Amino acid sequence: MHPIRSVLIVTKPGHPTALDLAQDIGVWLTRRSVSCRILEGPGEALPLRQLAADAGLVLVLGGDGTMLGVARRLAGTGVPLLGINLGRVGFLAEVPAGEWAATLERLLAAPLRVERRLALRFGVERGGVEIFQGDAVNDVVINRGALARVITLDIDVDGERLAGLRADGLIISTPTGATGYAVSARGPLMDPALDAFTVTPICPFLGNFPPLVLGGGSVCSVRIREQGTEVHATIDGQEGIALRSGDRITLTGLRDGLCFATLGGGGYCARLRACGFVRDHACTLPDMLPDEGGTSTDV
């Protein structure tokens, strides 16, 4: 890509530290002949997309939640995002707050490199009419309401029936979102470069539905069966839709729907270790070998 000539800075709403930092970064960029605009909070999708269209980079100041909100609203635009972490985990907002100047210096010194990932595109149909359509960065979760009852879902893939599922819910996740709710429900971790998404049940009845990986071009359809309990769809843990019996949610991959500026350095495995998703319990060779003349019981 071309060198960065303009930057849109989006801050976490109601966060004075983020706003102060945005002002500092804006001054720093202006001194380097890079135009800059500051927006407090992502706001509605359309104004954000219009502002981002003229930017070579969207800089997000906040935590992973702020990054999710901005990335979801900009899904499919191809505008690269970079997050400066003012939160805790920082799996999406990966630049530590104290390293912003050095990071931007590197980004301005060479053409910007980007990493494109799969997003989810979904629609909710009621009575044959689509009543809601949107995108997800991490996941779409279909789950029960306040009552502790299982829900029943009919699942089709590419027009072919897969199964009827009784469970607490269902998580449809992108590779980016695989480190979120899905992994807590024993879904697989996925390299974010994969063109695929996962379907993971939440506490399936009798455990008869294992996590499933589908190709990014697959179409997964989930129908809410007739039942007497509340059901909701939650998008990225930030937006919710109340569902009714008979509603159908259709989901598919949005290829290259997410675009992130890359910094080089440690890869995916290093980030998994740094954020605690995997831990290294290395065994030395003697620990793995049986004692001479016997059988080892160590595992």
Side-chain angles (χ1 to χ4, degrees):
M1 296 186 65
H2 299 294
I4 300 169
R5 295 287 179 257
S6 63
V7 173
L8 173 65
I9 302 177
V10 183
T11 70
K12 181 177 180 178
H15 196 296
T17 301
L19 201 54
D20 289 344
L21 180 57
Q23 298 289 349
D24 291 342
I25 294 174
V27 171
W28 188 93
L29 289 169
T30 301
R31 289 173 177 170
R32 288 157 178 80
S33 301
V34 177
S35 64
C36 176
R37 183 162 185 172
I38 299 173
L39 181 65
E40 185 176 4
E44 297 299 320
L46 183 57
L48 177 62
R49 292 169 79 94
Q50 290 173 339
L51 291 173
D54 296 326
L57 175 70
V58 175
L59 200 60
V60 183
L61 310 189
D64 283 350
T66 311
M67 277 288 287
L68 281 173
V70 175
R72 183 170 61 257
R73 289 164 174 81
L74 294 181
T77 63
V79 181
L81 280 70
L82 180 68
I84 295 180
N85 184 30
L86 302 178
R88 288 174 293 179
V89 178
F91 200 75
L92 285 177
E94 61 177 304
V95 179
E99 299 179 10
W100 67 265
T103 300
L104 291 180
E105 198 76 67
R106 287 168 51 196
L107 290 178
L108 296 181
L112 186 66
R113 294 181 299 169
V114 300
E115 177 183 334
R116 301 185 186 275
R117 303 182 187 180
L118 183 93
L120 280 177
R121 177 150 288 175
F122 69 94
V124 180
E125 183 181 294
R126 178 174 296 162
V129 178
E130 187 174 72
I131 62 169
F132 193 91
Q133 188 271 339
D135 300 317
V137 175
N138 267 0
D139 50 39
V140 175
V141 180
I142 304 168
N143 58 0
R144 65 188 186 190
L147 297 179
R149 298 177 181 173
V150 296
I151 58 177
T152 306
L153 309 171
D154 290 318
I155 305 173
D156 297 344
V157 177
D158 293 333
E160 180 180 1
R161 178 174 172 79
L162 176 64
L165 172 67
R166 297 186 66 203
D168 285 355
L170 188 70
I171 306 167
I172 301 92
S173 172
T174 67
T176 300
T179 52
Y181 193 5
V183 75
S184 299
R186 299 186 179 275
L189 293 172
M190 298 178 67
D191 189 307
L194 290 175
D195 181 24
F197 61 94
T198 65
V199 179
T200 303
I202 306 169
C203 299
F205 184 66
L206 298 179
N208 62 350
F209 191 106
L212 178 67
V213 179
L214 297 175
S218 297
V219 178
C220 179
S221 173
V222 183
R223 178 181 173 274
I224 315 300
R225 270 201 213 169
E226 291 287 339
Q227 53 200 6
T229 189
E230 295 179 355
V231 183
H232 296 86
T234 306
I235 299 91
D236 289 337
Q238 296 182 336
E239 298 179 0
I241 308 165
L243 301 176
R244 300 177 185 175
S245 296
D247 285 357
R248 183 181 299 275
I249 303 179
T250 303
L251 311 99
T252 190
L254 178 60
R255 191 171 187 181
D256 296 338
L258 306 175
C259 185
F260 297 103
T262 62
L263 303 175
Y268 179 58
C269 293
R271 292 176 64 193
L272 287 178
R273 292 196 307 271
C275 293
F277 289 105
V278 294
R279 296 182 181 179
D280 189 2
H281 296 288
C283 295
T284 59
L285 186 59
D287 292 334
M288 300 173 63
L289 295 176
D291 294 334
E292 186 176 352
T295 302
S296 173
T297 57
D298 293 339
V299 177

